[in-house]
Amino acid sequence: MTDTKSYFFVVLIRFLYSISQIFSKAAFNQGMSIPVFVFYRHLIASIFISPFAFLLGRKRAPHLSYKIAFKLFVHALYGHSAAVYLFSLGLSYISAASSSAICNLLPVMAFTLAAFLRMESLKMKRLHGVLKASGIMLCISGVIILAFYKGIVLDSINHHHLLHNKKSVTQANSSKMRWILGIFLTTLSVFLLSLWTVLMGPMMEEYPSKILTTTFQSIFSMIQSFFIALVLERDFSKWKLDFDIGLLGVVYCGIVLSGITYYLQAWVIQMKGPVFLAMSMPLTLIFTMMLSSIILGEEISLGSVIGGILMVGGLYNVLWGKRIEETVEKDTIEEENLDKEANLEEKDIKLQTENTHISI
């Protein structure tokens, strides 16, 4: 029963992520200010999660020193405020499907950064090291193809898309430089999020409360994104939220992604482990490609398909190598334990033999 729930929730998580891509892209297509969108997203997320933090985390809350608060502020700055803004800006330049494809880089980039910081190993003389290295190269190749090769365009399966855009996707992506810039910005945002993923491990050791850590960073991100929006968006008429796709996207990303999806991911990781969750990431790409074609009427190019396949292949190579490495380490530990037990038994036999000779 637990396995069935795990598979159901992991598919649901990926579907919810793909919906967020569609809502965000539709809001940007209709002219919503990106800095304002990011600010309102963090604002709603903070409002949503703060009551839960107060009720669930206040009784066992660790002491929050100025040093830890500053660290959380910095993590929120690059891992939330900057990453979400750059991702949203990149999404406005490229298709939702391409943006979703780049998200598959997250586990690979996180491993690469962890290896660079010597938190992970990369032994090129072993099979798992070769698999990891080849996975990294496949991902890099996928990003390059996605940025510089378009190829033939596959028509949308729905020519009467559900959401009306002020500008068509073809017009939005007509500029080659805008497309390349969008790929670069989206990749940079995934890099920042990967760095945040790696560095949050040591941070959680210093301040182990998950709910409070999330809440404080959400509040810090709200404050940071507010000042970023003030600087970048001087037209205050664009700060007004109407009852349209922009409001829906803001509320959805603020509540569903920052609240419901966070809880579901924590549950899946607890039940099946982080590798199981990471292996499901390509589902977001599949869902996004289908929904972007049906809802937004986006065209899918051959380059996007090839780049996405390479990045998914790279992801699975890294995860495969990681799984082999964990198996090898587990077998090595078991062998060492067996050797220790054998040595202890030999010592016991020798002691018993010596005692026997002494008694004789």
Side-chain angles (χ1 to χ4, degrees), residues 180-297:
I180 295 174
L181 179 60
I183 297 295
F184 171 76
L185 292 173
T186 308
T187 305
L188 179 59
S189 71
V190 174
F191 172 80
L192 292 177
L193 188 55
S194 302
L195 181 63
W196 177 85
T197 302
V198 172
L199 296 182
M200 276 307 294
M203 185 71 247
M204 291 301 298
E205 294 180 0
E206 287 189 67
Y207 198 77
S209 176
K210 293 180 181 179
I211 185 68
L212 290 179
T213 299
T214 304
T215 303
F216 285 133
Q217 289 188 81
S218 181
I219 294 173
F220 286 146
S221 299
M222 175 192 66
I223 298 170
Q224 293 161 357
S225 59
F226 172 72
F227 286 103
I228 292 173
L230 279 180
V231 173
L232 298 179
E233 186 54 77
R234 300 296 181 88
D235 184 0
F236 289 98
S237 64
K238 293 187 177 182
W239 287 68
K240 181 182 177 181
L241 288 176
D242 298 320
F243 288 96
D244 56 9
I245 191 64
L247 177 61
L248 181 59
V250 166
V251 173
Y252 181 91
C253 292
I255 294 178
V256 176
L257 285 190
S258 301
I260 299 173
T261 305
Y262 174 83
Y263 173 79
L264 291 177
Q265 287 183 118
W267 188 90
V268 171
I269 290 174
Q270 185 178 11
M271 293 294 105
K272 301 290 288 185
V275 175
F276 178 79
L277 182 64
M279 290 183 68
S280 69
M281 291 193 72
L283 289 175
T284 303
L285 173 58
I286 296 173
F287 288 142
T288 305
M289 290 178 69
M290 295 172 58
L291 293 174
S292 64
S293 180
I294 295 171
I295 299 176
L296 300 176

Side-chain angles (χ1 to χ4, degrees), residues 129-149:
V130 174
L131 286 172
K132 292 176 183 178
S134 63
I136 294 171
M137 295 306 298
L138 282 173
C139 287
I140 294 174
S141 302
V143 172
I144 293 174
I145 289 176
L146 195 63
F148 297 101
Y149 175 71

Side-chain angles (χ1 to χ4, degrees), residues 5 51 63 66 80 89 94-95 153 160 184 222 239 249 266 269 271 293 301 308 310:
K5 285 184 178 180
H63 173 66
Y66 289 109
H80 287 258
L89 186 59
I94 61 177
S95 66
V153 176
H160 303 284
F184 171 76
M222 175 192 66
W239 287 68
I269 290 174
M271 293 294 105
S293 180
S301 67
L310 287 175

